[in-house]
Amino acid sequence: MDASRLWQFPIKEFHRMPRGILGPGAYEMVGVEAKNLGFKRALLATSGLRGTGIIEDIIGKIKYQGVDVVLYDQIESNPKDYNVMDMADMYTKEKCDSFISVGGGSVTDATKGARIVVANDGRHINEFDGFNKSERPDNPPHIAINTTAGTGSETSWAYVITDTTSDKAPYKYLAFDETCPVTLGINDPVLFFSMPQDLTAYCGFDVLAHASEPYVSRLNFLPSLGNALKCIELVAQNLRETVCEPLNYEARYNMMYASYMAAQSFNSGGLGIIHAMSHAVSAYYDSHHGLNNAIALPRVWEFNMPANYKRFRDIARVMGENVDGLSDVSAAERALEAAIKLSKDVGIPKNFSSVGDYTKTRIGRGTYEKWSGPKIVGDEKDADRITRHLLGDGSTPGNAREATYEAVKPVVQHALTGSYS
Ligand SMILES: [Fe+2]
């Protein structure tokens, strides 16, 4: 008898999460933490924070403790394979012994990838697409200072890289590796104040995706469920404030915890086709991960609801909807309404083909010739290639509802050109 056919996911696995420090002033401890971890010469990885003063401030704190710093500040949104390889090359040439990353998920992910490359004799990062492809257990140490309430990469075993060189390119893959969790994750809400309003909204929807996907996933990983539901509640209660009042400390603080806890939920609880669709659109258009999630989320919730109305009822309740006396089906529909209302309130575009310029727009500005753009077209070719890319994504097996080409393509088409208004 093949017992694996009796259950969809008969054996679950709890993936490790790293040490973290969280709270106002936490980032100021980076120098002391680096020294205590034995860092002598750290590669400091970052992207678009130049000019905010944050990088200069952090470098000063590290050097004050006697740790040398080598700066790599070229990491792009949707981190590219060439970012990872350049960073690994610099690390080796400069004889560094550690990494410190300062930024959102792109920066943390690229640095996780560079550590795997360094630990595996400089092999190309795209060779590690998949689950636990790394062959060396000891990556260089890594302190990750997070600056967005979004990916939570500073506490997960996942990293996402855009392949621009293999036969599959352009291709954005989600890799998981037990060797890649950071040594220490630092979350300081003070650093989130500088996030522009549009990116705050997009990253907030990334958090909502990280929490809702494991909550309804077929993995049904019980330790993830409590965190996930709490995160959905935190997003519903705080995202509007962080967008409308960027200096609202309490809202930023709550979104910081939502981001952190949501990543811990999906770390072992799985994701779904919100993320798979998001990765596909980024692969072809280099558009923002959180923005893509925000557009995909209500469509995927609607698609997934018949697989588990009761879980969506729970989601509606923690989003503030009164579901007393409603059937599970009617209550679940309130969750969808709440998500659509939230997306409108924080300025999410109604579909992919209506996305215009936003802060750090990558559309059409990448250096890679195969990216389409500047505008997301949304035609039959897009619907087909995005659906195919989606079906091969590492997030898809955990989706609440079985994803087939025929079933998912209309969902993708609605996200490309449809509307809820
Ligand atoms: Fe995400």
Side-chain angles (χ1 to χ4, degrees):
M1 183 184 71
D2 181 2
S4 69
R5 296 179 69 86
L6 295 177
W7 302 280
Q8 294 179 86
F9 298 96
I11 305 294
K12 327 251 189 207
E13 184 171 0
F14 185 82
H15 302 287
R16 72 183 176 92
M17 297 179 289
R19 178 175 164 242
I21 54 176
L22 305 94
Y27 89 93
E28 299 189 40
M29 297 163 71
V30 60
V32 173
E33 291 288 350
K35 181 184 174 187
N36 289 346
L37 286 166
F39 292 12
K40 296 286 190 287
R41 186 170 169 81
L43 189 147
L44 191 139
T46 187
S47 58
L49 291 165
R50 292 177 293 281
T52 61
I54 292 172
I55 300 303
E56 294 77 5
D57 180 16
I58 287 173
I59 289 175
K61 287 176 167 52
I62 298 167
K63 286 187 171 176
Y64 183 76
Q65 296 295 331
V67 178
D68 284 342
V69 172
V70 176
L71 180 64
Y72 179 83
D73 62 1
Q74 301 297 313
I75 300 172
E76 299 174 26
S77 184
N78 300 313
K80 313 304 183 304
D81 47 9
Y82 52 78
N83 295 144
V84 175
M85 299 311 293
D86 287 351
M87 201 184 336
D89 193 39
M90 178 184 271
Y91 179 94
T92 304
K93 283 184 178 149
E94 292 284 344
K95 297 184 167 43
C96 297
D97 61 7
S98 50
F99 286 92
I100 298 173
S101 60
V102 184
S106 297
V107 171
T108 314
D109 284 0
T111 308
K112 286 168 153 179
R115 289 164 55 224
I116 285 178
V117 170
V118 167
N120 288 272
D121 303 325
R123 285 169 54 197
H124 197 280
I125 185 61
N126 294 342
E127 294 180 33
F128 302 96
D129 170 17
F131 288 81
N132 284 323
K133 291 290 183 68
S134 175
E135 294 174 357
R136 303 280 174 81
D138 298 319
N139 292 352
H142 176 187
I143 297 175
I145 301 178
N146 180 37
T147 60
T148 68
T151 69
S153 179
E154 78 286 355
T155 196
S156 80
W157 75 307
Y159 64 100
V160 188
I161 302 295
T162 300
D163 171 354
T164 68
T165 52
S166 81
D167 293 342
K168 293 184 189 172
Y171 171 66
K172 185 174 180 181
Y173 61 85
L174 170 65
F176 296 90
D177 205 300
E178 296 290 359
T179 70
C180 83
V182 307
T183 312
L184 170 66
I186 296 178
N187 271 284
D188 188 330
V190 172
L191 298 181
F192 298 178
F193 285 152
S194 59
M195 277 185 76
Q197 286 171 284
D198 53 359
L199 296 187
T200 297
Y202 304 162
C203 291
F205 263 85
D206 191 21
V207 176
L208 190 56
H210 290 164
S212 64
E213 296 213 285
Y215 192 69
V216 301
S217 168
R218 282 182 291 175
L219 266 71
N220 195 29
F221 189 63
L222 295 181
S224 289
L225 302 186
N227 262 6
L229 211 53
K230 182 63 182 174
C231 293
I232 295 168
E233 182 180 63
L234 286 170
V235 173
Q237 291 177 345
N238 293 279
L239 183 58
R240 290 179 179 85
E241 285 80 355
T242 57
V243 174
C244 298
E245 305 170 28
L247 298 182
N248 184 322
Y249 174 77
E250 189 178 349
R252 290 284 192 192
Y253 179 88
N254 287 331
M255 282 303 299
M256 175 191 79
Y257 270 101
S259 166
Y260 188 70
M261 293 161 59
Q264 296 189 334
S265 298
F266 83 69
N267 203 45
S268 302
L271 289 168
I273 64 170
I274 298 173
H275 270 81
M277 194 189 309
S278 176
H279 296 154
V281 176
S282 290
Y284 298 119
Y285 288 100
D286 204 19
S287 51
H288 189 271
H289 174 67
L291 168 61
N292 293 351
N293 280 345
I295 293 171
L297 186 141
R299 280 87 180 183
V300 173
W301 279 18
E302 190 172 20
F303 173 72
N304 280 337
M305 272 181 191
N308 203 331
Y309 283 116
K310 285 186 186 302
R311 289 280 166 88
F312 281 98
R313 179 192 193 101
D314 297 340
I315 290 174
R317 180 172 49 78
V318 298
M319 291 187 81
E321 298 293 311
N322 183 356
V323 296
D324 293 346
L326 297 181
S327 67
D328 288 338
V329 175
S330 297
E333 285 167 356
R334 292 288 182 85
L336 178 61
E337 290 167 17
I340 293 167
K341 174 72 175 139
L342 180 60
S343 74
K344 287 179 179 173
D345 284 351
V346 300
I348 305 300
K350 65 180 181 180
N351 54 41
F352 284 114
S353 58
S354 65
V355 171
D357 263 1
Y358 53 90
T359 307
K360 295 184 186 174
T361 299
R362 298 292 312 165
I363 298 173
R365 296 182 188 169
T367 55
Y368 175 56
E369 61 188 17
K370 289 187 181 175
W371 276 310
S372 307
K375 184 171 167 51
I376 296 175
V377 177
D379 59 4
E380 170 61 25
K381 177 188 167 194
D382 265 355
D384 177 67
R385 65 180 179 168
I386 288 167
T387 303
R388 292 182 189 283
H389 192 296
L390 176 160
L391 293 174
D393 192 273
S395 310
T396 300
N399 193 62
R401 179 173 173 178
E402 183 73 13
T404 63
Y405 181 89
E406 292 73 22
V408 170
K409 191 176 175 189
V411 183
V412 172
Q413 283 171 319
H414 192 274
L416 287 168
T417 57
S419 171
Y420 281 110
S421 56

